[in-house]
Amino acid sequence: MSNPESRAFSGIQPTADSLHLGNYLGALVNWVAFQDKFECVYCVVDLHSLTVGPDPAAIRERTRRTAAQMLAVGIDPTRSILFVQSHVPQHTELTWLLNCITGFGEASRMTQFKDKSSRRGSEGTTVGLFDYPVLMAADILLYDAAIVPVGEDQRQHLELSRDLATRLNTRYGEGTVIVPEPYIVAATAKIQDLQDPTAKMSKSGNPGGILELLDSPKVLAKRIKSAVTDGETEIRFDPAKKPGISNLLTIYSALTGRSIDAIVQEYQGKMYGHLKVDLAEIVVEAFTPIRERTEQYLAEPETLDAILAEGAERAGRIAQQVYGRVADRFGLLPPRRHTTSHASA
Ligand code: ATP
Ligand code: LTN
């Protein structure tokens, strides 16, 4: 493998049938661009999704669908490694080692855990949910990743990964693992819910408020046309006072590469409806090829599974080596290959 100093790692949970515009602009677009600069490792983190407990058929289906959409947006399996987390057993093995150096209090301070566990109550909260950020740290450290592109919501988890990496290097010697740097995508990539533009567009949000990559053109157009705006008529970028229109302008700008100022200029004196019709066309144009490519991959599950198998093999080679190094420093006796057979002697 080439220079690990320039390796990037990121992961996405297979928790929905379709990814949405927020995932696309906030994560995937960057992941695709990263391929020109780094050696990239991208993972469908199915083990993480078990913490929300979907049914087995759904998780299997969504794992394939998520991978298919990653390929469809331009993750190139000849340049990057694309694989499924549970196919590489070292993720859970390294998690155990990291568990043993993670403070209980430290893990208890994770805000995502606090939010989710307070909603579920202590009986509904699993040890898996508590351990989620440690598994995430294992994902990253296992590939000697130097850079991790994630959304703002993952900043605290990344900080824990860095703390654990530093602790490993202090306790077990420099070079045990690489301390990863987060790459938090710019604020403009934060996409809001179309029905409630003060909340982020989210899988678990309002179904009418999200634009899914796999939605039909008709549904996409309908959702944009019914996006919540405001009682004024002026098209202007002002996220505090005009969150709905500002969100539509952000989407327009991100998908066309044009500046918000130029777009505002163009729509001066025009009605909201006009902006929405044009934006619907832009979104449909951007999503249609992605939907079609995804459908092709899903129609050929053997091809998709072969790509994931190759990805797991390549990922496994790195993971095995890094895990071996860390386990050795922890003092675990390395397993030796069995050469002479005592059993048959
Ligand atoms: P949920 O909110 O249901 O937990 P999600 O829709 O936020 O799920 P994740 O799987 O948590 O999706 O996120 C995958 C990636 O997409 C992350 O890097 C996250 O930061 C990014 N992302 C998710 N929603 C948005 C959004 N509205 N705008 C920008 N980026 C987003
Ligand atoms: N927690 C992340 C998904 C995730 C991840 C990772 C991201 C799991 N492991 C490793 C970056 C690196 C999320 O919910 N977006």
Side-chain angles (χ1 to χ4, degrees):
M1 272 286 163
S2 55
N3 182 10
E5 286 300 320
S6 62
R7 195 176 284 147
F9 182 97
S10 201
I12 189 160
Q13 297 192 63
T15 42
D17 289 338
S18 176
L19 300 178
H20 58 73
L21 182 71
N23 303 138
Y24 177 63
L25 292 175
L28 293 172
V29 166
N30 287 285
W31 295 11
V32 171
F34 260 48
Q35 298 180 115
D36 296 331
K37 294 185 239 145
F38 304 102
E39 179 193 330
C40 296
V41 184
Y42 294 128
C43 185
V44 181
V45 290
D46 55 347
L47 298 173
H48 277 106
S49 69
L50 296 179
T51 59
V52 292
D55 79 88
I59 186 163
R60 204 170 287 127
E61 168 74 12
R62 289 170 175 179
T63 298
R64 280 213 182 94
R65 291 178 81 92
T66 302
Q69 289 169 87
M70 290 164 84
L71 292 164
V73 300
I75 304 286
D76 175 359
T78 65
R79 287 200 287 164
S80 302
I81 298 178
L82 172 65
F83 74 107
V84 176
Q85 189 185 33
S86 65
H87 294 177
V88 178
Q90 286 80 13
H91 288 252
T92 45
E93 293 180 329
L94 183 59
T95 300
W96 182 256
L97 301 188
L98 296 179
N99 277 338
C100 297
I101 66 155
T102 305
F104 187 82
E106 190 174 34
S108 309
R109 283 192 292 275
M110 293 293 114
T111 54
Q112 203 166 81
F113 171 74
K114 287 198 283 189
D115 289 350
K116 291 193 176 172
S117 60
S118 72
R119 267 183 267 141
R120 292 178 197 181
S122 83
E123 286 312 307
T125 297
T126 64
V127 175
L129 187 69
F130 186 62
D131 212 24
Y132 180 113
V134 183
L135 176 59
M136 180 165 162
D139 295 342
I140 297 165
L141 303 186
L142 203 47
Y143 296 91
D144 280 338
I147 183 144
V148 184
V150 282
E152 178 62 42
D153 58 327
Q154 297 300 311
R155 189 186 285 277
Q156 195 190 28
H157 287 162
L158 241 294
E159 221 24 72
L160 178 69
S161 299
R162 286 172 55 80
D163 288 347
L164 294 177
T166 307
R167 195 168 306 155
L168 284 176
N169 288 342
T170 307
R171 285 199 195 163
Y172 299 105
E174 279 312 309
T176 303
V177 289
I178 288 188
V179 181
E181 287 290 337
Y183 177 92
I184 312 273
V185 294
T188 48
K190 182 139 178 256
I191 306 301
Q192 304 296 99
D193 186 290
L194 298 179
Q195 288 299 315
D196 174 10
T198 59
K200 78 161 194 161
M201 188 178 284
S202 155
K203 283 174 224 169
S204 40
N206 184 341
I210 65 177
L211 296 172
E212 296 193 332
L213 289 183
L214 305 183
D215 276 337
S216 69
K218 224 168 114 186
V219 168
L220 292 170
K222 198 174 121 208
R223 297 243 166 104
I224 293 169
K225 276 176 203 150
S226 45
V228 167
T229 51
D230 53 59
E232 299 179 9
T233 52
E234 194 193 357
I235 296 178
R236 179 163 57 83
F237 188 75
D238 183 345
K241 294 208 189 95
K242 297 169 77 68
I245 285 293
S246 302
N247 190 36
L248 298 182
L249 288 168
T250 300
I251 297 170
Y252 195 125
S253 163
L255 289 178
T256 57
R258 293 176 55 197
S259 75
I260 290 188
D261 281 350
I263 300 162
V264 168
Q265 203 74 38
E266 184 188 328
Y267 285 89
Q268 219 156 46
K270 294 188 178 159
M271 294 198 296
Y272 287 176
H274 197 135
L275 175 73
K276 285 181 169 180
V277 168
D278 291 352
L279 181 61
E281 212 169 285
I282 290 164
V283 170
V284 167
E285 206 168 292
F287 283 15
T288 299
I290 298 174
R291 192 188 71 241
E292 288 173 355
R293 281 195 292 271
T294 303
E295 283 164 359
Q296 273 168 19
Y297 280 113
L298 292 176
E300 290 174 35
E302 309 79 41
T303 310
L304 184 60
D305 289 354
I307 291 171
L308 294 176
E310 203 209 325
E313 216 173 279
R314 290 166 66 201
R317 279 198 288 273
I318 306 172
Q320 214 168 4
Q321 197 204 337
V322 176
Y323 177 76
R325 185 177 75 216
V326 179
D328 181 59
R329 297 210 181 182
F330 267 75
L332 300 181
L333 191 64
R336 290 274 174 237
R337 211 176 276 146
H338 184 66
T339 45
T340 50
S341 170
H342 297 291
S344 60

